[in-house]
Amino acid sequence: MKNIVKTIVMLAVLQFTNTNVFAQTIADSTMQKINEFRGFYETLGKVYPPNNTVSINETTISGVKSYMFNQEMLSKKEIMVYLHGGVYTYGNFNTYQAMISHLARSFNSPILYIEYALSPEHPYPTANNEIFNVYKELQKKYKDYKITVMGDSAGGGLAIALINDVQIANLSMPASLALISPWIDLKCDNKSYETRQALDPILSKDFLYNHALMYASNNIQEADPSELKFKEFPPVFLLVGTDEVLNDDAKNFYAYINPIQKKSKFKEYEGQKHVWPFAHIDSKESMEAIEDIKQFISSN
């Protein structure tokens, strides 16, 4: 609860007075707020310690800094790619090390965390291109490996965009995707942005839309994952809390993708806020979500 209150205060400070902000003209005062929140967001990754039994190796793949958890387990011929959240603007290895180390321990599998470039300094499609290039290199280097993709919040949107890029390039799809609290609609048009706001102490429609503008750099239609169309899609598991404004992002994408991929799955977690395992990795609901993901990945 203490961390949620701190987040509310920081987000209130961070609200931009001008929603028409783009990377090319971003004000120094706005960048100062962004950098301050980046520092604060990093502290949220220290609310619980990392699992010190999990090995971590820094690497560079296709010019993109990345971190491999459980590298010694690559002989199992499986890799999970992790795409972090942070409204395309926040988050780094220090922020996500603890959570991913616990996921790596629970999944007993290698996890590759990609440190993709952040907006507004690097707007769309920089992060998308970096993630696609890493994925392409993984397929080349680790032939016949089972590659899965996991993402939270904006990382969920990036995962969906990755599937579109893979489809266009005619590469092999990942075996499956697991997306926690995915932010998919950059236009922020879904009803839950209004109907769930009173339940969500972390995100708001204005906050999200301002960051969508910075990330998309005046091109939301093209950057928006909810605008992408698919003829095929890997099995995808969409997990979302009942108490978050992004509830309909997951629900609506499931309604769209289920006729295309019958193995897709959607689950709501009662009373949970945005990306609940990030805040409380050992809560009953977090452990339930991790077990649900393990079962889904193992069956696809």
Side-chain angles (χ1 to χ4, degrees):
M1 180 60 69
K2 180 181 178 182
N3 290 307
I4 290 177
V5 172
K6 286 173 64 179
T7 302
I8 295 169
V9 172
M10 288 299 296
L11 291 179
V13 171
L14 194 64
Q15 294 299 326
F16 305 128
T17 57
N18 179 11
T19 60
N20 210 13
V21 289
F22 305 117
Q24 300 95 320
T25 58
I26 198 84
D28 289 344
S29 58
T30 298
M31 277 308 307
Q32 181 179 350
K33 290 180 181 179
I34 287 171
N35 287 326
E36 287 173 357
F37 191 76
R38 282 174 176 166
F40 164 72
Y41 194 50
E42 194 170 310
T43 68
L44 295 181
K46 296 177 173 61
V47 295
Y48 51 82
N51 187 306
N52 59 16
T53 68
V54 174
S55 66
I56 304 172
N57 295 88
E58 182 178 332
T59 185
T60 299
I61 304 175
S62 292
V64 182
K65 183 191 290 187
S66 303
Y67 295 84
M68 184 71 81
F69 293 71
N70 282 339
Q71 181 170 291
E72 68 279 3
M73 294 183 183
L74 284 171
S75 59
K76 297 177 69 173
K77 290 198 169 184
E78 59 184 37
I79 300 173
M80 173 181 281
V81 174
Y82 196 94
L83 305 177
H84 73 84
V87 291
Y88 300 96
T89 307
Y90 313 105
N92 58 23
F93 171 72
N94 292 331
T95 313
Y96 278 85
Q97 176 186 358
M99 183 179 75
I100 297 175
S101 70
H102 287 274
L103 294 177
R105 181 73 179 101
S106 295
F107 296 154
N108 198 35
S109 175
I111 298 181
L112 182 72
Y113 167 90
I114 302 176
E115 187 100 292
Y116 61 81
L118 301 175
S119 80
E121 301 97 319
H122 305 283
Y124 172 85
T126 306
N128 308 65
N129 291 341
E130 289 183 346
I131 291 165
F132 173 71
N133 288 336
V134 170
Y135 179 82
K136 184 167 60 174
E137 183 63 25
L138 288 177
Q139 282 211 330
K140 180 180 177 181
K141 184 175 181 180
Y142 299 105
K143 296 182 185 296
D144 302 322
Y145 273 55
K146 178 181 179 179
I147 299 177
T148 58
V149 179
M150 185 172 177
D152 73 88
S153 198
L158 286 167
I160 291 170
L162 171 63
I163 301 306
N164 181 64
D165 292 337
V166 167
Q167 179 178 258
I168 292 171
N170 199 30
L171 297 177
S172 298
M173 295 281 186
S176 63
L177 278 70
L179 310 180
I180 301 177
S181 302
W183 181 26
I184 301 172
D185 178 19
L186 297 191
K187 300 180 298 300
C188 303
D189 279 345
N190 289 329
K191 290 181 181 179
S192 60
Y193 286 82
E194 306 291 345
T195 60
R196 310 275 176 141
Q197 184 60 83
L199 301 171
D200 191 334
I202 299 171
L203 297 177
S204 71
K205 181 174 181 175
D206 287 345
F207 176 78
L208 289 162
Y209 189 64
N210 283 329
H211 286 80
L213 288 173
M214 286 194 298
Y215 163 67
S217 191
N218 203 22
N219 197 6
I220 280 189
Q221 187 79 10
E222 183 177 342
D224 189 351
S226 71
E227 293 289 334
L228 298 173
K229 304 301 178 187
F230 297 95
K231 294 181 180 179
E232 58 178 322
F233 205 86
V236 55
F237 184 15
L238 299 134
L239 304 84
V240 68
T242 57
D243 296 2
E244 55 177 313
V245 296
L246 295 181
N247 187 275
D248 282 349
D249 279 42
K251 189 177 296 180
N252 291 352
F253 187 76
Y254 173 75
Y256 167 70
I257 213 65
N258 189 47
I260 298 170
Q261 175 51 261
K262 293 299 183 181
K263 291 184 178 180
S264 57
K265 180 180 178 181
F266 169 81
K267 183 173 179 178
E268 289 182 297
Y269 294 77
E270 187 65 36
Q272 297 311 292
K273 315 300 181 185
H274 187 58
V275 195
W276 60 100
F278 180 72
H280 305 286
I281 194 66
D282 57 354
S283 71
K284 179 176 73 69
E285 293 80 7
S286 293
M287 291 188 288
E288 179 184 350
I290 291 169
E291 187 59 34
D292 289 343
I293 292 169
K294 284 173 62 177
Q295 291 183 12
F296 182 79
I297 289 174
S298 65
S299 64
N300 291 288

